[in-house]
Amino acid sequence: MANREELAIIRGARAGRTESQLALGRLYLFGSAGLPKSLPTALHWLDRAARQGCAEAWQLIGNHIPLDLARQSPQPVTCWYERAYDGGLARAGLVYAQLVLGGERVPPGQRAKALRALEDAGCGGFPEAQWLLAREHGVTPPRFGGPAGEAAAGQGDGRTPDARIPRPEPRRQDETGASRSGAPGRAGQRWLRSAADSGVTPAQFALLEQEWDAGQHQAYLERALPLARALARSEVAQGRACARLAPDEVTLLSRCARLVDEGMAAHDVEPDELHAFWELAAAEQDRHAQFALGLWCARMRIDGRRISGDNAGSGAAANFKKAVRWLQQAGEQGLAEAWYALSRIYVKPEFSQRNVVEAQKYLERAAEMGYRDAQLECGNAAWRARRENEGNDVRAVFWLQKAAAQGCAKAAAMLRKIAPREAGAWRELGALPRRDMSEYPLLAARLELALAFGLSRAEALLLDVRHADRGHCLVVDIRASYGRSRRRLVPVETAQERQLLDRVVRLFENVDCGPGGPEGNYRQRLYRLRTLLPESGGPDAPLDLDLAA
């Protein structure tokens, strides 16, 4: 309860005396024996005193009234922070800059002054000012705001964490140091590092994001590992009974563990600590952590090879039940490697639920999602099973093409073996003089296919184009009409070949390619060819000439 002296100050303040309003505002600002500390009430009386020209009142406002309370004030108080900043108070300049830059339709002159105030506060060692300066110079806030810093960082852009370990890309900078791609310049980077070193969490996560995107893995781990360790200790100490981790924290743990596990940066992390990182991130649905935990529980590498007890971090036996659960969760989140690892588990003899059909299902799922090793294995498996189903060779070429397109040398070598590109009997046709074949469009189309795909004479003349096209390859099978031939596959390798094949297929769309069709039987087609192209063999040449391929 207010004493007599304080009651006199209250009466004087209500009567409009400046010195009483200043004194009452100071009492509520710091609290007293009779009056409680109340910043909103202090701001009310200090504002009234400042309106009567009291310089000490706006200095107290600038030094002690926080930003949130200034924004909630029913009366505009920005001018008091500006006057306090003009008087040399750096903290008042920080709040003044935040009020001005956070408003709408800021005059250019006022904005320039607010930036100067912000720079003075940053040079004065205010971490929040350093982070705001970094933002002003083009630094992107963390994707999810980071823990304990969302108010300063603002809202993220909603992107998911990068699933791949990136490679650095060169960036060009202009004369001011700003990147042409929109990245922050030298000034922005300087303020960002200052804010991060001062412990501003959003700045730390923004800097980590930059280092990760640039492929600076050693620098990333040096800065991120202490944060990850502190986070892991905090979670273990609280027994996982605390609130869920922020997305940036989960990404931090996962990326640190991936760099350590893949040996891409020097570190001093023990296996138990690495396992703790994986467990914390996996519990928050990080797919890479779930995948790593699945392999750890199975005590194996991704290809199914056994890991020794020392490398696995424990000499315990494999727990395939837990491994399957973690790998399924990772696979359901779009990680193809998880499905591939699952397929390796289901073919293990020691797995009590060994199932070859289930293993093949997971293997094909990984291949469909673009995992190269799974595509190679699917191709090899289909080729080995071609005697069970003749169409398996087409599937084999499909998967091998997919794997070869991703740089798999084994798949490319296998393709050259099972579907070689032969020169054919028409390699000299390109040197023959051009002839007008507009009256024979079907024959002209067949000759184009022969040149592009290395077909023999018999294959070019007898091929059923519509049934031969399988999208990724051409199935050349004329055994029903020409007993000396063999079934073979020709891969479609380029966009030009695909366009040619599409055009020829449209041409033959409603054409009967059999002997009863408009082209006649094989002898008629061969006679027409030799009549039009006598250089390739006259009409009276032996029929065996078409067996050159």
Side-chain angles (χ1 to χ4, degrees):
M1 185 174 180
N3 54 34
R4 292 183 179 181
E5 182 180 355
E6 292 170 342
L7 288 174
I9 294 175
I10 292 174
R11 286 194 294 269
R14 290 175 177 175
R17 289 196 290 270
T18 304
E19 63 278 4
S20 298
Q21 294 170 343
L22 174 62
L24 185 57
R26 188 185 291 107
L27 288 175
Y28 279 112
L29 187 62
F30 302 108
S32 67
L35 295 176
K37 181 178 179 179
S38 175
L39 293 183
T41 308
L43 176 59
H44 169 76
W45 290 112
L46 291 174
D47 176 62
R48 292 187 61 176
R51 293 180 185 279
Q52 298 191 59
C54 180
E56 188 178 353
W58 66 62
Q59 290 175 354
L60 289 173
I61 292 175
N63 253 341
H64 299 285
I65 301 300
L67 173 66
D68 292 341
L69 191 56
R71 285 175 173 167
Q72 297 171 5
S73 173
Q75 301 294 333
V77 294
T78 305
C79 57
W80 309 136
Y81 290 96
E82 182 180 9
R83 293 188 184 183
Y85 164 67
D86 293 338
L89 297 179
R91 185 191 178 283
L94 169 60
V95 180
Y96 165 69
Q98 291 173 302
L99 290 172
V100 171
L101 298 176
E104 298 180 357
R105 299 180 181 179
V106 182
Q110 195 174 15
R111 176 178 176 81
K113 184 175 183 180
L115 290 175
R116 288 196 304 271
L118 202 58
E119 289 186 0
D120 290 341
C123 293
F126 287 89
E128 192 173 1
Q130 295 167 348
W131 169 236
L132 290 175
L133 281 168
R135 295 279 306 275
E136 288 293 329
H137 284 84
V139 172
T140 304
R143 293 177 178 177
F144 299 97
E150 295 181 357
Q155 295 296 326
D157 57 8
R159 297 176 294 175
T160 57
D162 190 4
R164 300 170 295 176
I165 294 183
R167 296 181 178 179
E169 296 182 358
R171 295 179 178 178
R172 297 182 179 180
Q173 292 185 339
D174 57 22
E175 297 177 354
T176 63
S179 170
R180 294 182 183 179
S181 62
R186 289 186 294 270
Q189 288 298 115
R190 177 170 60 87
W191 289 119
L192 175 62
R193 290 189 177 276
S194 298
D197 294 339
S198 298
V200 178
T201 305
Q204 292 175 331
F205 278 90
L207 187 57
L208 287 172
E209 193 69 25
Q210 288 183 3
E211 292 172 343
W212 178 266
D213 291 340
Q216 299 172 0
H217 300 138
Q218 184 62 47
Y220 180 92
L221 198 60
E222 288 177 359
R223 185 176 292 273
L225 196 53
L227 297 176
R229 282 172 166 162
L231 185 61
R233 285 195 298 268
S234 173
E235 291 297 302
V236 171
Q238 298 183 41
R240 300 292 298 140
C242 56
R244 292 188 59 184
L245 297 175
D248 269 336
E249 293 174 326
V250 178
T251 303
L252 173 73
L253 290 168
S254 177
R255 286 178 175 175
C256 284
R258 288 163 62 191
L259 290 177
V260 170
D261 190 46
E262 297 176 16
M264 300 188 67
H267 60 84
D268 57 348
V269 179
E270 297 296 328
D272 290 342
E273 189 175 22
L274 174 62
H275 187 246
F277 290 172
W278 285 135
E279 280 192 323
L280 290 173
E284 298 293 342
Q285 303 304 311
D286 182 85
R287 58 181 186 172
H288 295 284
Q290 292 169 340
F291 171 66
L293 269 185
L295 294 182
W296 187 87
C297 291
R299 302 297 190 271
M300 73 176 200
R301 303 185 189 279
I302 186 173
D303 57 1
R305 289 183 296 170
R306 175 79 177 180
I307 299 178
S308 63
D310 293 340
N311 293 334
S314 173
N319 188 333
F320 290 115
K321 184 176 181 181
K322 290 183 65 176
V324 167
R325 178 170 62 87
W326 284 120
L327 291 173
Q328 283 181 338
Q329 291 184 35
E332 288 167 359
Q333 293 195 72
L335 201 61
E337 297 94 316
W339 296 123
Y340 181 70
L342 267 176
S343 72
R344 302 303 87 201
I345 289 180
Y346 273 90
V347 296
K348 282 183 172 291
E350 61 267 32
F351 183 35
S352 61
Q353 300 179 19
R354 185 178 186 272
N355 189 322
V356 177
V357 176
E358 198 75 5
Q360 185 64 26
K361 181 184 73 173
Y362 291 135
L363 181 66
E364 292 185 356
R365 187 175 299 181
E368 290 168 358
M369 295 175 67
Y371 190 63
R372 190 181 71 177
D373 291 351
Q375 293 170 343
L376 173 62
E377 190 158 341
C378 280
N380 290 333
W383 179 250
R384 291 192 297 267
R386 66 189 183 281
R387 289 182 176 84
E388 302 173 7
N389 183 349
E390 192 177 51
N392 279 338
D393 59 352
V394 178
R395 295 182 65 250
V397 170
F398 173 78
W399 289 121
L400 291 173
Q401 280 182 314
K402 294 287 188 181
Q406 296 192 62
C408 181
K410 292 182 179 179
M414 190 67 179
L415 267 179
R416 290 192 295 269
K417 177 181 177 181
I418 69 177
R421 295 298 295 265
E422 300 176 359
W426 301 94
R427 52 183 177 271
E428 77 280 0
L429 188 61
L432 297 179
R434 293 184 177 275
R435 302 181 183 277
D436 183 12
M437 300 187 65
S438 58
E439 296 183 6
Y440 305 96
L442 298 181
L443 179 58
R446 289 182 177 278
L447 293 180
E448 284 190 84
L449 287 183
L451 277 173
F453 295 99
L455 305 180
S456 69
R457 287 181 176 84
E459 290 170 344
L461 294 176
L462 295 175
L463 185 67
D464 188 339
V465 181
R466 291 176 300 166
H467 293 91
D469 181 20
R470 301 301 174 86
H472 63 283
C473 70
L474 200 64
V475 179
V476 181
D477 187 2
I478 59 171
R479 292 174 295 178
S481 303
Y482 200 82
R484 300 182 187 181
S485 67
R486 60 183 176 84
R487 185 179 190 271
R488 68 188 185 94
L489 305 179
V490 183
V492 179
E493 297 178 343
T494 65
Q496 291 76 12
E497 291 177 352
R498 182 66 259 170
Q499 292 171 0
L500 168 63
L501 196 51
D502 290 339
R503 177 165 55 83
V504 174
V505 168
R506 287 195 298 269
L507 183 63
F508 281 86
E509 187 173 3
N510 298 315
V511 176
D512 182 4
C513 293
E519 295 178 285
N521 58 31
Y522 177 55
R523 288 182 175 272
Q524 292 172 322
R525 299 180 192 190
L526 185 61
Y527 181 85
R528 186 180 302 113
L529 171 66
R530 289 173 174 171
T531 302
L532 291 172
L533 299 174
E535 296 87 345
S536 66
D540 297 328
L543 294 179
D544 289 341
L545 288 176
D546 61 354
L547 300 179

PDB file of all heavy atoms in Angstrom, residues 158-174:
ATOM      1  N   GLY A 158       8.093 -22.656 -45.360  1.00  0.00           N
ATOM      2  CA  GLY A 158       7.307 -23.858 -45.500  1.00  0.00           C
ATOM      3  C   GLY A 158       7.988 -24.982 -46.245  1.00  0.00           C
ATOM      4  O   GLY A 158       7.357 -25.977 -46.570  1.00  0.00           O
ATOM      5  N   ARG A 159       9.268 -24.869 -46.541  1.00  0.00           N
ATOM      6  CA  ARG A 159       9.937 -25.933 -47.260  1.00  0.00           C
ATOM      7  C   ARG A 159      10.288 -27.067 -46.305  1.00  0.00           C
ATOM      8  O   ARG A 159      10.459 -26.877 -45.121  1.00  0.00           O
ATOM      9  CB  ARG A 159      11.220 -25.415 -47.924  1.00  0.00           C
ATOM     10  CG  ARG A 159      10.958 -24.353 -48.968  1.00  0.00           C
ATOM     11  CD  ARG A 159      12.262 -23.823 -49.509  1.00  0.00           C
ATOM     12  NE  ARG A 159      12.990 -23.103 -48.470  1.00  0.00           N
ATOM     13  CZ  ARG A 159      14.207 -22.618 -48.637  1.00  0.00           C
ATOM     14  NH1 ARG A 159      14.834 -22.777 -49.774  1.00  0.00           N
ATOM     15  NH2 ARG A 159      14.810 -21.969 -47.653  1.00  0.00           N
ATOM     16  N   THR A 160      10.443 -28.260 -46.862  1.00  0.00           N
ATOM     17  CA  THR A 160      10.891 -29.381 -46.065  1.00  0.00           C
ATOM     18  C   THR A 160      12.394 -29.398 -46.018  1.00  0.00           C
ATOM     19  O   THR A 160      13.055 -28.887 -46.910  1.00  0.00           O
ATOM     20  CB  THR A 160      10.382 -30.689 -46.683  1.00  0.00           C
ATOM     21  OG1 THR A 160      10.853 -30.755 -48.044  1.00  0.00           O
ATOM     22  CG2 THR A 160       8.874 -30.724 -46.677  1.00  0.00           C
ATOM     23  N   PRO A 161      12.992 -30.006 -44.982  1.00  0.00           N
ATOM     24  CA  PRO A 161      14.443 -30.050 -44.900  1.00  0.00           C
ATOM     25  C   PRO A 161      15.040 -30.790 -46.078  1.00  0.00           C
ATOM     26  O   PRO A 161      14.472 -31.738 -46.580  1.00  0.00           O
ATOM     27  CB  PRO A 161      14.685 -30.793 -43.577  1.00  0.00           C
ATOM     28  CG  PRO A 161      13.429 -30.635 -42.809  1.00  0.00           C
ATOM     29  CD  PRO A 161      12.328 -30.573 -43.821  1.00  0.00           C
ATOM     30  N   ASP A 162      16.173 -30.327 -46.477  1.00  0.00           N
ATOM     31  CA  ASP A 162      16.848 -30.934 -47.595  1.00  0.00           C
ATOM     32  C   ASP A 162      17.247 -32.354 -47.246  1.00  0.00           C
ATOM     33  O   ASP A 162      17.870 -32.608 -46.240  1.00  0.00           O
ATOM     34  CB  ASP A 162      18.093 -30.118 -47.933  1.00  0.00           C
ATOM     35  CG  ASP A 162      18.700 -30.556 -49.240  1.00  0.00           C
ATOM     36  OD1 ASP A 162      18.099 -31.432 -49.876  1.00  0.00           O
ATOM     37  OD2 ASP A 162      19.747 -30.008 -49.606  1.00  0.00           O
ATOM     38  N   ALA A 163      16.867 -33.274 -48.132  1.00  0.00           N
ATOM     39  CA  ALA A 163      17.160 -34.656 -47.868  1.00  0.00           C
ATOM     40  C   ALA A 163      18.514 -35.094 -48.368  1.00  0.00           C
ATOM     41  O   ALA A 163      18.975 -36.170 -48.060  1.00  0.00           O
ATOM     42  CB  ALA A 163      16.089 -35.543 -48.506  1.00  0.00           C
ATOM     43  N   ARG A 164      19.161 -34.338 -49.164  1.00  0.00           N
ATOM     44  CA  ARG A 164      20.432 -34.725 -49.732  1.00  0.00           C
ATOM     45  C   ARG A 164      21.557 -33.886 -49.143  1.00  0.00           C
ATOM     46  O   ARG A 164      21.368 -32.745 -48.760  1.00  0.00           O
ATOM     47  CB  ARG A 164      20.430 -34.533 -51.253  1.00  0.00           C
ATOM     48  CG  ARG A 164      19.362 -35.358 -51.948  1.00  0.00           C
ATOM     49  CD  ARG A 164      19.252 -34.940 -53.390  1.00  0.00           C
ATOM     50  NE  ARG A 164      18.789 -33.561 -53.481  1.00  0.00           N
ATOM     51  CZ  ARG A 164      18.664 -32.893 -54.624  1.00  0.00           C
ATOM     52  NH1 ARG A 164      18.992 -33.461 -55.744  1.00  0.00           N
ATOM     53  NH2 ARG A 164      18.233 -31.651 -54.638  1.00  0.00           N
ATOM     54  N   ILE A 165      22.760 -34.453 -49.142  1.00  0.00           N
ATOM     55  CA  ILE A 165      23.930 -33.673 -48.764  1.00  0.00           C
ATOM     56  C   ILE A 165      24.361 -32.905 -49.993  1.00  0.00           C
ATOM     57  O   ILE A 165      24.761 -33.486 -51.002  1.00  0.00           O
ATOM     58  CB  ILE A 165      25.054 -34.584 -48.256  1.00  0.00           C
ATOM     59  CG1 ILE A 165      24.607 -35.249 -46.946  1.00  0.00           C
ATOM     60  CG2 ILE A 165      26.334 -33.811 -48.057  1.00  0.00           C
ATOM     61  CD1 ILE A 165      25.644 -36.120 -46.315  1.00  0.00           C
ATOM     62  N   PRO A 166      24.243 -31.564 -49.988  1.00  0.00           N
ATOM     63  CA  PRO A 166      24.415 -30.789 -51.215  1.00  0.00           C
ATOM     64  C   PRO A 166      25.872 -30.574 -51.558  1.00  0.00           C
ATOM     65  O   PRO A 166      26.766 -30.754 -50.733  1.00  0.00           O
ATOM     66  CB  PRO A 166      23.734 -29.460 -50.875  1.00  0.00           C
ATOM     67  CG  PRO A 166      23.946 -29.331 -49.400  1.00  0.00           C
ATOM     68  CD  PRO A 166      23.908 -30.724 -48.838  1.00  0.00           C
ATOM     69  N   ARG A 167      26.090 -30.166 -52.790  1.00  0.00           N
ATOM     70  CA  ARG A 167      27.412 -29.771 -53.248  1.00  0.00           C
ATOM     71  C   ARG A 167      27.435 -28.260 -53.438  1.00  0.00           C
ATOM     72  O   ARG A 167      26.440 -27.672 -53.820  1.00  0.00           O
ATOM     73  CB  ARG A 167      27.748 -30.462 -54.577  1.00  0.00           C
ATOM     74  CG  ARG A 167      27.841 -31.991 -54.444  1.00  0.00           C
ATOM     75  CD  ARG A 167      28.196 -32.607 -55.777  1.00  0.00           C
ATOM     76  NE  ARG A 167      28.323 -34.052 -55.661  1.00  0.00           N
ATOM     77  CZ  ARG A 167      28.611 -34.854 -56.685  1.00  0.00           C
ATOM     78  NH1 ARG A 167      28.801 -34.346 -57.890  1.00  0.00           N
ATOM     79  NH2 ARG A 167      28.717 -36.142 -56.500  1.00  0.00           N
ATOM     80  N   PRO A 168      28.579 -27.637 -53.193  1.00  0.00           N
ATOM     81  CA  PRO A 168      28.639 -26.175 -53.304  1.00  0.00           C
ATOM     82  C   PRO A 168      28.489 -25.720 -54.738  1.00  0.00           C
ATOM     83  O   PRO A 168      28.925 -26.391 -55.676  1.00  0.00           O
ATOM     84  CB  PRO A 168      30.030 -25.845 -52.756  1.00  0.00           C
ATOM     85  CG  PRO A 168      30.811 -27.096 -52.933  1.00  0.00           C
ATOM     86  CD  PRO A 168      29.845 -28.224 -52.766  1.00  0.00           C
ATOM     87  N   GLU A 169      27.833 -24.573 -54.914  1.00  0.00           N
ATOM     88  CA  GLU A 169      27.679 -23.961 -56.226  1.00  0.00           C
ATOM     89  C   GLU A 169      28.300 -22.577 -56.196  1.00  0.00           C
ATOM     90  O   GLU A 169      28.133 -21.831 -55.232  1.00  0.00           O
ATOM     91  CB  GLU A 169      26.197 -23.837 -56.593  1.00  0.00           C
ATOM     92  CG  GLU A 169      25.505 -25.189 -56.733  1.00  0.00           C
ATOM     93  CD  GLU A 169      24.073 -25.023 -57.147  1.00  0.00           C
ATOM     94  OE1 GLU A 169      23.628 -23.852 -57.283  1.00  0.00           O
ATOM     95  OE2 GLU A 169      23.378 -26.030 -57.322  1.00  0.00           O
ATOM     96  N   PRO A 170      29.035 -22.228 -57.245  1.00  0.00           N
ATOM     97  CA  PRO A 170      29.674 -20.901 -57.260  1.00  0.00           C
ATOM     98  C   PRO A 170      28.637 -19.798 -57.339  1.00  0.00           C
ATOM     99  O   PRO A 170      27.623 -19.929 -58.024  1.00  0.00           O
ATOM    100  CB  PRO A 170      30.531 -20.947 -58.531  1.00  0.00           C
ATOM    101  CG  PRO A 170      29.888 -21.986 -59.391  1.00  0.00           C
ATOM    102  CD  PRO A 170      29.305 -22.998 -58.464  1.00  0.00           C
ATOM    103  N   ARG A 171      28.899 -18.684 -56.641  1.00  0.00           N
ATOM    104  CA  ARG A 171      27.999 -17.538 -56.642  1.00  0.00           C
ATOM    105  C   ARG A 171      28.782 -16.290 -57.004  1.00  0.00           C
ATOM    106  O   ARG A 171      29.847 -16.038 -56.464  1.00  0.00           O
ATOM    107  CB  ARG A 171      27.342 -17.342 -55.265  1.00  0.00           C
ATOM    108  CG  ARG A 171      26.427 -18.496 -54.870  1.00  0.00           C
ATOM    109  CD  ARG A 171      25.846 -18.238 -53.495  1.00  0.00           C
ATOM    110  NE  ARG A 171      24.934 -19.290 -53.108  1.00  0.00           N
ATOM    111  CZ  ARG A 171      24.322 -19.321 -51.936  1.00  0.00           C
ATOM    112  NH1 ARG A 171      24.537 -18.376 -51.054  1.00  0.00           N
ATOM    113  NH2 ARG A 171      23.500 -20.307 -51.644  1.00  0.00           N
ATOM    114  N   ARG A 172      28.239 -15.521 -57.911  1.00  0.00           N
ATOM    115  CA  ARG A 172      28.882 -14.279 -58.304  1.00  0.00           C
ATOM    116  C   ARG A 172      28.351 -13.131 -57.459  1.00  0.00           C
ATOM    117  O   ARG A 172      27.175 -13.070 -57.136  1.00  0.00           O
ATOM    118  CB  ARG A 172      28.610 -13.994 -59.782  1.00  0.00           C
ATOM    119  CG  ARG A 172      29.195 -15.064 -60.709  1.00  0.00           C
ATOM    120  CD  ARG A 172      28.924 -14.687 -62.154  1.00  0.00           C
ATOM    121  NE  ARG A 172      29.501 -15.676 -63.049  1.00  0.00           N
ATOM    122  CZ  ARG A 172      29.403 -15.594 -64.388  1.00  0.00           C
ATOM    123  NH1 ARG A 172      28.756 -14.584 -64.939  1.00  0.00           N
ATOM    124  NH2 ARG A 172      29.950 -16.535 -65.134  1.00  0.00           N
ATOM    125  N   GLN A 173      29.262 -12.209 -57.145  1.00  0.00           N
ATOM    126  CA  GLN A 173      28.863 -11.062 -56.340  1.00  0.00           C
ATOM    127  C   GLN A 173      29.140  -9.789 -57.106  1.00  0.00           C
ATOM    128  O   GLN A 173      30.058  -9.707 -57.928  1.00  0.00           O
ATOM    129  CB  GLN A 173      29.637 -11.043 -55.021  1.00  0.00           C
ATOM    130  CG  GLN A 173      29.253 -12.190 -54.102  1.00  0.00           C
ATOM    131  CD  GLN A 173      29.938 -12.056 -52.771  1.00  0.00           C
ATOM    132  OE1 GLN A 173      30.946 -11.378 -52.652  1.00  0.00           O
ATOM    133  NE2 GLN A 173      29.382 -12.695 -51.766  1.00  0.00           N
ATOM    134  N   ASP A 174      28.302  -8.800 -56.851  1.00  0.00           N
ATOM    135  CA  ASP A 174      28.512  -7.508 -57.499  1.00  0.00           C
ATOM    136  C   ASP A 174      29.464  -6.666 -56.658  1.00  0.00           C
ATOM    137  O   ASP A 174      30.053  -7.126 -55.694  1.00  0.00           O
ATOM    138  CB  ASP A 174      27.166  -6.788 -57.719  1.00  0.00           C
ATOM    139  CG  ASP A 174      26.400  -6.599 -56.418  1.00  0.00           C
ATOM    140  OD1 ASP A 174      27.055  -6.621 -55.349  1.00  0.00           O
ATOM    141  OD2 ASP A 174      25.178  -6.421 -56.474  1.00  0.00           O
TER     142      ASP A 174
END
